Amino acid sequence: MKILVTGGAGFIGSHIVEHFQGKAEEIRVLDNLRTGYRENLHGLDHTFIEGSITDRALVKQAVEGVDYIFHMAAMVSVPESMAKISECVEINVNGLLNVLEEASAAKVKKLVFASSAANYGDNPTVPKVETMYPEPKSPYAITKLDGEYYLEMFRTEGLLETTSVRFFNVFGPRQDPKGAYAAAVPIFIEKAVKGENITVFGDGEQTRDFIYVKDIVGALVFAATTEGVHGTYNAGYGGQITINDLANNILASAGTDSKLVHGPERAGDVKHSRASSEKLRAAGWQPQHTLEEGLAATFEFFRNKLGA
């Protein structure tokens, strides 16, 4: 088996590369290091191709002879997408089309696409079900929804087997606490390990469905290698934890004098987000980890990284 991970030097992409160590005959990574880091792939067997999915000739080279493609490459920052709409479309739509067309021409077995729960927008209904009307609020979310439609079009036209997986709140080792799209878990953990206070915006009673990165990888691999799994699927645990509880759990693990402090509520924050993962579970996927196990592994990673 030969696989290609676009955006493979990123947080989630690098975990896909790690998953296939000793399982795949060849692992290729196509990444322009816009938000990824070579150090994320340190010690992992792979062939690195530096460049962008917007480079059609390079994409053609990268997909040649590949069996499965995991398409993680994208502009991932919502604020950046608002400021650079055309660039977001160029990367997230035109870049994806380059990969889809070249994958089809190369007779790739299947392409799996990283989509997003941002497609649900501000709809307060929980849990989020795939049949809900999409309400994307940013160029990032709009382009992710475009991607789902293009994947399904390629599949129904017989050009390429495809599946889209909507990510909820993914966390885990190698997530960047300082990146433009930094998530709560790595920020909280880094601050707790350093003995700094954790700031929670608003009352902290907003809830999220956090999922450990290794289970997201499991969902992606399942979607790629399971016959009959196509269309769009949520990937989440289907659980909820308040941001206050998350922060307090991390503070307890750190055993420091850090405190939880509250900042002003952020505009546009959705109060509650939770995935219905029933569709993916009905197809046969099962997560292999719990939220607690994932948090413990992530905490250990950052403690070692920071030398604490």
Side-chain angles (χ1 to χ4, degrees):
M1 183 199 321
K2 296 183 180 181
I3 71 159
L4 167 66
V5 186
T6 68
F11 160 51
I12 297 172
S14 68
H15 281 275
I16 298 172
V17 175
E18 185 177 47
H19 171 86
F20 280 104
Q21 296 298 296
K23 298 186 180 90
E25 176 189 346
E26 185 182 355
I27 304 166
R28 293 180 201 163
V29 169
L30 174 61
D31 201 308
N32 64 354
L33 303 177
R34 193 175 185 278
T35 52
Y37 301 94
R38 285 299 297 267
E39 68 189 54
N40 284 342
L41 298 167
H42 182 70
L44 300 176
D45 183 33
H46 68 286
T47 300
F48 190 81
I49 303 166
E50 186 169 348
S52 173
I53 54 173
T54 60
D55 183 340
R56 182 68 173 255
L58 194 62
V59 170
K60 182 182 178 72
Q61 173 193 328
V63 305
E64 187 180 350
V66 162
D67 296 304
Y68 299 100
I69 297 175
F70 296 89
H71 186 68
M72 305 292 115
M75 177 187 284
V76 295
S77 164
V78 170
E80 186 180 16
S81 81
M82 297 291 281
K84 303 174 182 175
I85 297 173
S86 296
E87 189 177 347
C88 181
V89 172
E90 178 63 20
I91 296 168
N92 291 9
V93 179
N94 296 339
L96 169 63
L97 286 171
N98 284 342
V99 178
L100 285 170
E101 290 179 343
E102 292 301 338
S104 175
K107 301 287 191 290
V108 169
K109 288 179 181 175
K110 197 169 190 180
L111 180 145
V112 177
F113 172 63
S115 190
S116 174
N119 293 355
Y120 295 111
D122 297 334
N123 189 324
T125 303
V126 289
K128 309 298 185 189
V129 182
E130 293 87 347
T131 51
M132 286 171 61
Y133 187 78
E135 300 178 43
K137 301 292 185 189
S138 66
Y140 165 77
I142 291 167
T143 58
K144 287 296 184 181
L145 186 60
D146 284 349
E148 292 180 5
Y149 286 129
Y150 277 120
L151 259 73
E152 187 61 7
M153 186 201 83
F154 268 72
R155 188 189 71 81
T156 56
E157 291 297 315
L159 300 171
L160 179 67
E161 281 296 305
T162 62
T163 309
S164 298
V165 178
R166 287 180 179 168
F167 298 173
F168 278 69
N169 294 81
V170 188
F171 73 93
R174 298 198 288 277
Q175 195 169 20
D176 185 2
K178 296 183 175 64
Y181 202 51
V185 172
I187 293 172
F188 289 3
I189 289 177
E190 185 176 67
K191 286 189 174 294
V193 169
K194 288 180 173 179
E196 299 171 3
N197 290 341
I198 291 176
T199 300
V200 170
F201 296 99
D203 63 8
E205 289 305 298
Q206 58 268 48
T207 59
R208 295 293 181 265
D209 185 355
F210 291 97
I211 179 168
Y212 184 41
V213 66
K214 290 193 184 303
D215 279 324
I216 276 288
V217 171
L220 291 166
V221 173
F222 175 81
T225 57
T226 306
E227 198 170 331
V229 175
H230 51 73
T232 298
Y233 295 82
N234 290 334
Y237 286 148
Q240 283 180 302
I241 183 172
T242 68
I243 301 301
N244 284 334
D245 285 346
L246 174 73
N248 284 322
N249 288 353
I250 288 170
L251 288 172
S253 297
T256 68
D257 295 328
S258 304
K259 303 256 188 320
L260 191 162
V261 296
H262 289 274
E265 191 170 327
R266 290 191 300 192
D269 261 7
V270 178
K271 189 70 175 177
H272 302 292
S273 177
R274 174 162 57 97
S276 166
S277 58
E278 293 311 306
K279 183 180 175 186
L280 192 59
R281 289 173 189 263
W285 171 74
Q286 286 293 330
Q288 302 300 309
H289 304 273
T290 64
L291 174 63
E292 292 72 26
E293 288 169 355
L295 285 171
T298 307
F299 193 92
E300 191 63 24
F301 169 83
F302 279 99
R303 183 147 50 190
N304 291 337
K305 183 180 180 183
L306 297 167

